[in-house]
Amino acid sequence: MTITITAFERSPDGGKGLARDTRVRWALEEVGQPYRVRLVSFSAMREPAHLALHPFGQIPTYEEGDLVLFETGAIVLHIAERHPGLLPTDANARARAITWMFAALNTVEPPILELTIAKLLEADKPWYEKRLPLVEDRVRSRLNELSARLGDAEWLDGAFSAGDLLMVSVLLRLKPSGILNEFPNLAAYVARGEARPAYKRAFDAQLAVNTGKPPAG
Ligand code: GTB
């Protein structure tokens, strides 16, 4: 059955792979499932046709026959449950990998998002300079804990899983801040994720949309 996802017609990051369709593309590339991409403009996202797919008028969405999904975490979990490659077969290891998916989205991403939003929307506010170090320290505190848990392991719990896919995706948002480099094992972990052929294919595909140039190779 054909899989169709939605992505920004023009991503605000110009193709740095930070919009959440990259996470879904990456998951589909990891499991080797072909997919189509329907590009949507900001105005089309508010239209009834898109709101029928996504109640909050956002991307990404996922369509497969009669099934329509929104929320990146749910989409990646669906892909991982339907196709081998992103979740272990052992029940306990599978449950732990899913735990890492939730940890990435519910525990690690919120302070990172707060930092992104502060830099994007609050830089002209009188209290910005005073607040920024507090927000950055909340990120550092989470990274410190994550770094301690990862140690010198390659991935969070055994083989690469959907938990790593989401954790790497979340940490990638920190690259421009330089904070990631304060944690060499996390920086290396992110680099390992970015080096995966499936990630490269996903990244190149979303970059091609945003630059108008076809993916290399
Ligand atoms: N919880 C939802 C999910 O995980 O799927 C959140 C989805 C979401 O935030 N979608 C964003 C969106 O559609 C795009 S990814 N925004 C438009 C709107 O809400 O009207 C967030 C995003 C956008 C842009 C960048 N960037 O340019 O760097 C990074 C991340």
Side-chain angles (χ1 to χ4, degrees), residues 8 11-14 16 18-21 23 42 45-46 54 56-60 70-73 75 105 109 113 116 173:
F8 282 136
S11 180
D13 72 352
K16 292 195 180 77
L18 298 177
R20 285 181 172 85
D21 59 286
R23 303 175 185 189
F42 278 97
M45 286 161 70
R46 315 307 310 172
H54 197 307
F56 307 113
Q58 296 180 313
I59 60 99
F70 60 97
E71 281 300 327
T72 313
I75 296 170
L105 300 180
E109 189 160 43
L113 216 54
T116 309
R173 300 189 84 149

Side-chain angles (χ1 to χ4, degrees), residues 37-59:
V37 183
R38 192 167 57 250
L39 301 176
V40 286
S41 64
F42 278 97
S43 61
M45 286 161 70
R46 315 307 310 172
E47 295 289 333
H50 188 74
L51 288 170
L53 304 177
H54 197 307
F56 307 113
Q58 296 180 313
I59 60 99

